[in-house]
Amino acid sequence: MSQQLDPVTQAVRIQTPRSQQQEHSTPLYITSSFVFDEAEAMRAAFADESDDNIYSRFSNPNVDEFVKKMCALEGTEDGFATSTGMSAIFSSIFALLQQGDHLICCSSVFGSTFTIVTKYLPRFGITCTLVDANDQAAWEAAVQPTTKMVYLETPTNPQLEVIDLEWVGQFTKKHNLILNVDNCFATPLLQRPVEFGADLIVHSATKWIDGQGRVLGGIVLGRKDLIHEIYLFCRNTGPAMSPFNAWVLSKSLETLDVRMERHCANALKVAEALQNNPNVSWVKYPFLKGHPQYDIAQKQMKQGGGVLCFEIKGGVVAGRKFLDALQLLSVTANLGDSRSIASHPASTTHSKLTEEQRLSVGITPGLIRVSAGLEKVDDIIADIEQALAQSAS
Ligand SMILES: *Cc1c(COP(=O)(O)O)cnc(C)c1O
């Protein structure tokens, strides 16, 4: 029956086989290793001839349940869950590329991803070309005989640029490249990169998938042959997801669909409300008319996601005042929480960069990023509006 069930239903219903206790909710398998009754069974497990659990660095029932649900949601053959989003991203690149290979990466990527591809990859003889998200000629010009993989995220962080997945899918197919997509901002409920030809999808499960700011986690999903290589890499290098985090994340997937609906509805209403605010010079949200890639977003996303950004008038000073004036929204280094979050990169996370460096990664002086939570939207809007009014005084 599970073949015909909708992925959302599967995310609620996929479950590790019950123990003799007949528990309704999956128990937590806090165990480092698993026992074998016979040497032959252990030999077969190590020889890859059985699916038996061996050691929790390789697999664990809680982690498997989370992976199976994610495969159903993303429509992928296989997956491997990791301790954080960064270990998923790092493993998806390092397991598959080697010295002499070349990677094409979109220029606006998550900060630590940027550091991996620009600082660490070159140390191992893997070169990387950064390309502007929507400059298709630049993508074509970046291809080299040694190019193996294209890495991108859409919508991008923090500028919320939307990259045309249909076009990139055709591009990577034409050049026979592995397409690796960070689908963290959209989640599989809003966008399924496999439908556009992605070979790999990576997630920070820390964000919308957990959804309540409790645990870190990551996952790589995709083609069976590629995931097998990534599995072997991780099995030996050790970025395993903890059973507890997998248990939390698997439970979170039961509510992802309903949560994302509210997050997206709230984000759109906040974006619409801010459009007419006298202290705001522009607002950006993928499903807001006027977004530069509005048509692409409509084509490839079901909804616009839970993040919006805007430019506060008065630059860095006003941005800092805005953060200090917030009463409801949290000022914290995360997103994808049931509680709304605001950040002002220029005065906080990116304050060490020069203004020129900040602009090169899309961070304007008054850029505010809001992760819309699950509070009643009128309360979110009221807090942002009062803080904006104070930032101008
Ligand atoms: C947070 C984030 C990551 C990193 O994930 P961690 O779980 O913090 O390691 C990667 N990509 C995007 C888009 C993110 O927002």
Side-chain angles (χ1 to χ4, degrees):
M1 169 157 189
S2 75
Q3 244 55 30
Q4 292 93 48
L5 292 175
D6 187 277
V8 169
T9 306
Q10 293 190 52
V12 177
R13 279 287 169 180
I14 286 175
Q15 188 162 358
T16 302
R18 294 204 168 96
S19 79
Q20 287 172 340
Q21 301 299 329
Q22 287 288 81
E23 67 280 344
H24 189 203
S25 174
T26 305
L28 186 48
Y29 290 87
I30 297 281
T31 178
S32 320
S33 66
F34 301 83
V35 291
F36 294 91
D37 288 338
E38 291 164 358
E40 167 53 23
M42 191 164 183
R43 183 208 60 79
F46 270 92
D48 248 354
E49 290 166 13
S50 81
D51 288 336
D52 290 349
N53 290 305
I54 301 174
Y55 190 63
S56 286
R57 168 153 45 84
F58 310 172
S59 68
N60 171 285
N62 294 117
V63 179
D64 289 347
E65 182 181 289
F66 172 64
V67 171
K68 285 200 181 98
K69 288 182 177 185
M70 285 300 296
C71 286
L73 287 171
E74 283 286 11
T76 53
E77 291 174 352
D78 209 351
F80 187 83
T82 57
S83 54
T84 64
M86 285 326 301
S87 54
I89 292 167
F90 175 81
S91 304
S92 74
I93 298 173
F94 267 68
L96 300 175
L97 300 190
Q98 59 185 24
Q99 186 175 19
D101 286 345
H102 174 247
L103 172 82
I104 299 175
C105 180
C106 73
S107 51
S108 45
V109 278
F110 186 70
S112 294
T113 309
F114 185 84
T115 304
I116 288 178
V117 302
T118 56
K119 180 173 173 184
Y120 295 109
L121 282 184
R123 289 192 189 173
F124 297 89
I126 302 163
T127 52
C128 176
T129 305
L130 296 168
V131 293
D132 184 341
N134 282 295
D135 184 350
Q136 296 182 348
W139 289 80
E140 288 286 358
V143 179
Q144 299 174 14
T146 53
T147 308
K148 285 277 160 60
M149 182 185 281
V150 165
Y151 183 95
L152 64 90
E153 65 189 55
T154 177
T156 65
N157 181 14
Q159 276 284 354
L160 302 174
E161 295 285 316
V162 176
I163 303 178
D164 189 341
L165 286 173
E166 189 181 5
W167 182 85
V168 178
Q170 287 162 2
F171 167 81
T172 51
K173 197 169 175 202
K174 181 170 87 183
H175 296 288
N176 197 21
L177 308 173
I178 298 167
L179 175 55
N180 190 353
V181 177
D182 181 337
N183 202 28
C184 171
F185 266 46
T187 81
L189 291 169
L190 310 185
Q191 167 177 289
R192 299 225 294 179
V194 275
E195 290 167 5
F196 302 97
D199 304 290
L200 292 172
I201 293 112
V202 289
H203 278 281
S204 167
T206 315
K207 312 293 169 51
W208 303 105
I209 291 175
D210 171 50
Q212 285 142 90
R214 300 164 298 183
V215 299
L216 301 174
I219 190 164
V220 193
L221 299 147
R223 258 169 52 195
K224 211 172 184 62
D225 58 325
L226 300 177
I227 295 297
H228 187 65
E229 278 305 316
I230 293 164
Y231 159 72
L232 292 176
F233 179 84
C234 293
R235 170 174 164 155
N236 288 295
T237 56
M241 174 178 278
S242 90
F244 176 75
N245 288 11
W247 183 87
V248 170
L249 292 167
S250 181
K251 279 276 154 204
S252 290
L253 288 179
E254 295 179 16
T255 58
L256 184 63
D257 185 43
V258 287
R259 285 188 285 111
M260 288 316 292
E261 264 180 37
R262 177 68 77 83
H263 284 299
C264 294
N266 281 359
L268 178 60
K269 282 187 194 145
V270 173
E272 284 169 351
L274 291 178
Q275 266 187 317
N276 307 315
N277 191 292
N279 300 313
V280 168
S281 37
W282 51 257
V283 184
K284 217 157 154 194
Y285 180 70
F287 268 34
L288 192 66
K289 289 207 181 75
H291 184 288
Q293 295 94 35
Y294 177 78
D295 293 338
I296 300 171
Q298 291 284 326
K299 184 176 70 170
Q300 69 193 30
M301 298 176 75
K302 287 203 186 90
Q303 296 181 74
V307 182
L308 63 128
C309 63
F310 63 90
E311 180 76 10
I312 192 169
K313 286 184 189 161
V316 181
V317 174
R320 190 198 301 262
K321 274 193 194 167
F322 173 80
L323 287 192
D324 290 343
L326 288 168
Q327 291 170 6
L328 179 72
L329 272 70
S330 310
V331 177
T332 181
N334 198 12
L335 60 92
D337 197 296
S338 53
R339 292 166 289 181
S340 295
I341 295 166
S343 67
H344 176 232
S347 74
T348 58
T349 50
H350 292 69
S351 64
K352 275 194 241 154
L353 303 185
T354 65
E355 175 132 356
E356 198 182 11
Q357 284 170 325
R358 281 200 290 267
L359 286 175
S360 74
V361 288
I363 294 169
T364 46
L367 181 76
I368 305 283
R369 187 188 71 190
V370 172
S371 168
L374 300 178
E375 303 96 338
K376 281 288 180 188
V377 72
D378 290 346
D379 290 330
I380 304 172
I381 293 170
D383 191 38
I384 295 175
E385 285 179 345
Q386 67 80 22
L388 277 169
Q390 289 202 50
S391 74
S393 64

